[in-house]
Amino acid sequence: MHPTIRMNNGIEIPQVGFGVYQIPASRTTEMVRVALDAGYRHVDTAQVYGNEAEVGTAIAESGLPREDVFITTKLNPQHHGYDSTSKELEESLRKLRTSYVDLYLLHWPSPGKDRYLESWRACEDLFAQGKVRSIGVSNLTVANLAWLAERSATVPAVNQVELHPNFQQDDLLRYHYSHGIITQAWGPLALGNSLSDPTLQGLAEKYRKTPAQLILRWHIQLGNIPLPKSATPSRIRENLAVFDFRIDADDMGRITALDGDPNGAPSRTMGASLPRWQP
Ligand code: NAD
């Protein structure tokens, strides 16, 4: 069993999650099975990925006790609203073949709809009912988090955001650290674009690891939860073999210095693919 981190509600979350975004539904059950066999105990899916049912099948068929696998899913922002949030969670639970999820996230803000707070209230109630063991947010900025904090006493357990060596989001991480919010890193490998960076390649050689493993280890030492995605069994296994070495402080600094490197991988968030919500 690999290490876990304790969230602000006392619940432990395994420190590497298997991301299933863009894994076609037809391959998801097989890939989640590979991941569970490799030792992953944390799967990150979402309504919009269209593969919750296949994740559910893999977990149900794995023979693992339900409580041994940490399942995250996310509400499609199209369904923001109090009643629709509860209704859509039921649909996700049915597909995932479980009576609860370990973490339920509001996938991204949808300012046009302006029903974020209603959904958050529904999440608080679903938590009280035991249908979700933790609740969190995704793709929120510092301003968004401060806005939410003024309106709700419930601190999100996590904020799942784009994060990788070329896009380190310092201010956001500082806010997370000081408010007890765990950072989940999506795009932890910058979609594979960071892997050819010469600094990362050199360091990977030094530690006798692959560039992907080096980057994932960097996330872990920062206290982040990376969610690497792969549909290649050898890479799925490779991405979990990151707990048997430690990057020293100087080398952590070298990776930190890559932030915003114009030759590095661009951020997808900064490219405006996601709505920026400025309440
Ligand atoms: P990622 O950084 O994990 O990149 C995935 C790509 O990297 C793969 O397609 C593969 O080509 C490559 N790769 C993976 N392991 C490798 C290895 N060992 N060696 C070489 N190449 C490797 O990015 P992602 O898939 O966008 O994000 C990961 C997960 O984060 C998703 O599956 C999803 O669960 C989550 N996510 C969440 C949001 C959100 O809005 N909350 C957005 C995007 C992704």
Side-chain angles (χ1 to χ4, degrees):
M1 186 68 178
H2 63 268
T4 58
I5 293 188
R6 181 163 297 188
M7 298 187 286
N8 60 22
N9 55 12
I11 289 178
E12 302 281 336
I13 179 168
Q15 214 183 348
V16 174
F18 181 58
V20 297
Y21 175 48
Q22 288 179 331
I23 300 186
S26 60
R27 299 196 63 206
T28 301
T29 298
E30 182 198 347
M31 289 306 129
V32 173
R33 196 177 289 139
V34 169
L36 294 174
D37 284 349
Y40 289 79
R41 290 295 179 267
H42 172 180
V43 182
D44 182 89
T45 184
Q47 268 194 315
V48 295
Y49 300 169
N51 55 17
E52 285 172 307
E54 291 73 16
V55 168
T57 300
I59 294 171
E61 289 178 353
S62 70
L64 290 165
R66 168 66 188 88
E67 61 274 18
D68 284 6
V69 185
F70 190 102
I71 306 176
T72 302
T73 195
K74 317 184 189 85
L75 178 74
N76 179 346
Q78 191 188 324
H79 302 302
H80 279 177
Y82 186 89
D83 292 338
S84 44
T85 299
S86 309
K87 185 171 151 280
E88 295 301 323
L89 174 72
E90 291 299 337
E91 183 62 12
S92 290
L93 294 178
R94 189 186 62 74
K95 288 184 173 159
L96 287 162
R97 295 165 66 171
T98 180
S99 58
Y100 67 91
V101 288
D102 298 276
L103 178 61
Y104 196 45
L105 303 182
L106 297 185
H107 203 152
W108 67 86
S110 179
K113 248 181 130 47
D114 200 20
R115 306 190 94 175
Y116 195 84
L117 208 53
E118 281 182 47
S119 276
W120 186 246
R121 297 272 181 251
C123 287
E124 292 175 320
D125 290 347
L126 292 167
F127 173 75
Q129 293 160 20
K131 292 189 173 171
V132 302
R133 289 177 76 224
S134 331
I135 58 176
V137 295
S138 180
N139 298 303
L140 293 200
T141 61
V142 169
N144 300 156
L145 289 167
W147 179 91
L148 187 60
E150 280 170 20
R151 289 159 180 81
S152 166
T154 309
V155 180
V158 310
N159 185 17
Q160 184 179 122
V161 294
E162 179 182 2
L163 197 77
H164 48 77
N166 302 113
F167 186 54
Q168 298 186 23
Q169 305 230 51
D170 274 0
D171 291 346
L172 186 62
L173 258 60
R174 251 191 295 278
Y175 186 99
H176 290 175
Y177 290 140
S178 61
H179 290 79
I181 300 171
I182 299 292
T183 306
Q184 286 191 308
W186 67 252
L189 305 169
L191 273 170
N193 294 329
S194 287
L195 304 176
S196 52
D197 180 289
T199 304
L200 295 173
Q201 286 195 337
L203 288 173
E205 231 166 86
K206 171 175 169 186
Y207 289 95
R208 295 175 195 277
K209 287 285 178 180
T210 65
Q213 289 170 324
L214 182 87
I215 297 172
L216 293 169
R217 182 70 210 181
W218 170 82
H219 280 289
I220 286 162
Q221 288 182 211
L222 290 178
N224 300 334
I225 302 205
L227 305 167
K229 170 250 163 181
S230 174
T232 305
S234 59
R235 286 176 172 176
I236 292 174
R237 290 188 277 274
E238 173 187 328
N239 291 345
L240 196 62
V242 291
F243 295 105
D244 57 354
F245 74 113
R246 189 164 185 84
I247 304 171
D248 71 29
D250 288 348
D251 292 336
M252 284 294 286
R254 287 185 183 99
I255 302 174
T256 299
L258 297 174
D259 191 20
D261 181 344
N263 298 317
S267 144
R268 285 181 282 155
T269 303
M270 301 235 289
S273 59
L274 287 167
R276 310 239 87 199
W277 183 41
Q278 294 302 345

